[in-house]
Amino acid sequence: MTDEIIEKNKYLMKQRTKKAKQSLPQYKKFETDDYKEIEEKLLAILHSISDEPIYIKDILKELGKSQHFTKFFPEIFNSIKEANVVASRRKSERTYRERCKVLKEVITSLLGMIFILG
């Protein structure tokens, strides 16, 4: 009976690992021929970052690459990180100014109502 249980457990473990391997995302293999093309894509992405950050996770997903891919282009990915920080700051500042403008308009409107009623 114990032999049956052991065999059944072995079978179940094999099935689990097969399912786990199938569920992992399949990444495109990096070939040296694609190096220049990918570098150009990354540089285009870097230069397109202005007000909205483009996260590295999304870039890698779009390229079909894993996180380990960043080691092939460390300078570009570091520049993308820095550009994202600047873009996030710009976005935060823009949001802050817009909210200040709305708040100023509300206060002005309320003061106008007070003078009219008072």
Side-chain angles (χ1 to χ4, degrees):
M1 187 162 164
T2 56
D3 290 337
E4 281 181 39
I5 293 172
I6 291 171
E7 288 303 315
K8 189 174 182 179
N9 282 339
K10 284 182 184 178
Y11 173 77
L12 290 174
M13 290 302 289
K14 285 181 185 178
Q15 293 301 319
R16 285 186 195 146
T17 55
K18 284 181 186 176
K19 287 180 184 176
K21 286 180 183 176
Q22 290 171 353
S23 66
L24 290 174
Q26 300 299 316
Y27 295 108
K28 296 176 189 170
K29 198 170 188 178
F30 179 64
E31 298 187 18
T32 54
D33 297 340
D34 300 334
Y35 186 87
K36 192 68 175 170
E37 181 183 337
I38 292 173
E39 183 180 38
E40 289 173 4
K41 284 181 183 178
L42 290 173
L43 289 173
I45 290 170
L46 172 63
H47 295 297
S48 71
I49 298 173
S50 58
D51 290 338
E52 284 291 323
I54 302 173
Y55 298 104
I56 291 176
K57 180 178 78 172
D58 297 331
I59 294 169
L60 293 173
K61 189 175 182 180
E62 180 182 320
L63 293 174
K65 305 295 181 186
S66 68
Q67 185 68 32
H68 300 289
F69 183 73
T70 58
K71 70 180 178 184
F72 293 109
F73 302 97
E75 301 88 17
I76 296 174
F77 281 106
N78 285 335
S79 297
I80 289 172
K81 286 178 187 176
E82 291 171 8
N84 282 340
V85 168
V86 172
S88 292
R89 285 185 188 150
R90 280 191 204 135
K91 185 177 178 182
S92 295
E93 289 172 7
R94 186 179 65 244
T95 303
Y96 175 76
R97 279 184 295 216
E98 290 171 358
R99 288 180 181 168
C100 285
K101 183 179 174 183
V102 169
L103 185 61
K104 190 183 270 186
E105 289 171 359
V106 169
I107 291 172
T108 304
S109 173
L110 289 173
L111 287 174
M113 292 170 92
I114 290 172
F115 288 122
I116 291 173
L117 294 174

